[in-house]
Amino acid sequence: MLATGGTNSKITAGINEPCTVYAKDFDGNGSYDAVLGYYIWGKCYPMYHRDQLIDQMPFMRKKFIRYRNYAGKTLDEIFTDDQKRGMDIFKASFFESGVLINEGNNKFRFESLPEQAQFSTINDFVIADFDGDGIKDILAGGNSYDPDVSTGNYDAAAVVLIKGAGNGKFISVPRTDPAFDINGEVRRIIYLQEKRQIVLLKNNAPAQLLQQN
């Protein structure tokens, strides 16, 4: 099981246009600065607007005195060659959560989880046969209130039940089920199988107990 941030975000990624991060202590103040980039028409631009960039690296104020000086600059263009020397570059090509199916002979196949499981982050999961049909299911817990204001909270799916359909395929249980009308940031799931109870541990909120029928 590979749990990531899902696809319901302004931060996107692809094989040819990966999410890119330039990272280094650019201003030499002992703090590791990370600048996120995203692609538009084949060019990688900084995700931060001018004020956010200056808040993180005040020395940029002298370079981008006015907003028009910053507008349209690519991620490469906001740094000098000297500043880019020795920096770390991180890239991510996809944010879909899914499973790796072992097909033998050291071969694995990636199977994306259903769309409903991509609505938010997945922080923890439990694999068990929740519906008693003999096929393993996935109960995933997620959401995150950590992103900055301009990005917004990831809060579209605190809990998602993903039913196994066999052969590495999965289907999601509709959110219309009142048992999954749950809010908050689920950071940990504890499954008490003998009691058929599920304990959801949340960030800055009381734990929540779910009872299986």
Side-chain angles (χ1 to χ4, degrees):
M1 174 78 179
L2 301 177
T4 65
T7 58
N8 185 24
S9 171
K10 71 175 185 180
I11 304 173
T12 59
I15 296 297
N16 297 320
E17 296 185 343
C19 177
T20 303
V21 175
Y22 283 5
K24 179 185 174 182
D25 181 9
F26 290 106
D27 50 7
N29 66 351
S31 176
Y32 194 63
D33 304 304
V35 182
L36 181 66
Y38 70 108
Y39 277 82
I40 301 177
W41 298 107
K43 293 184 177 181
C44 188
Y45 295 92
M47 181 71 71
Y48 300 133
H49 57 65
R50 172 185 172 275
D51 292 343
Q52 288 177 306
L53 185 73
I54 290 173
D55 284 344
Q56 184 171 345
M57 293 177 285
F59 73 91
M60 286 290 188
R61 185 183 300 275
K62 294 181 180 179
K63 184 172 184 178
F64 302 112
I65 298 174
R66 300 187 183 278
Y67 290 96
R68 65 170 176 262
N69 302 132
Y70 184 68
K73 290 291 188 294
T74 65
L75 196 58
D76 271 328
E77 291 170 339
I78 65 174
F79 297 107
T80 66
D81 290 339
D82 185 59
Q83 289 167 340
K84 287 186 286 186
R85 191 173 295 112
M87 73 178 180
D88 296 318
I89 300 177
F90 302 99
K91 295 183 179 182
S93 297
F94 72 99
F95 292 131
E96 288 183 290
S97 294
V99 295
L100 282 178
I101 307 298
N102 189 345
E103 297 186 322
N105 296 320
N106 295 319
K107 293 183 179 180
F108 292 84
R109 171 172 55 89
F110 178 77
E111 188 73 32
S112 296
L113 293 179
E115 183 181 22
Q116 193 168 326
Q118 311 296 343
F119 286 169
S120 189
T121 63
I122 292 180
N123 304 324
D124 196 17
F125 57 87
V126 172
I127 298 175
D129 181 13
F130 291 102
D131 55 5
D133 64 356
I135 302 175
K136 293 292 181 67
D137 311 305
I138 301 172
L139 182 67
N143 286 350
S144 175
Y145 299 162
D146 292 336
D148 62 274
V149 174
S150 65
T151 301
N153 292 334
Y154 298 117
D155 57 3
V159 173
V160 178
L161 178 59
I162 308 155
K163 294 183 61 175
N167 297 321
K169 303 294 183 180
F170 297 89
I171 56 175
S172 55
V173 175
R175 292 287 301 278
T176 53
D177 189 330
F180 298 103
D181 185 17
I182 297 167
N183 298 314
E185 295 177 271
V186 176
R187 295 293 181 89
R188 179 86 186 276
I189 301 175
I190 300 174
Y191 183 39
L192 306 176
Q193 189 167 358
E194 293 184 358
K195 296 183 178 181
R196 296 183 62 78
Q197 293 177 333
I198 300 164
V199 182
L200 306 178
L201 303 183
K202 302 181 179 182
N203 184 41
N204 292 325
Q208 187 170 353
L209 179 67
L210 304 180
Q211 180 66 59
Q212 286 185 268
N213 296 327

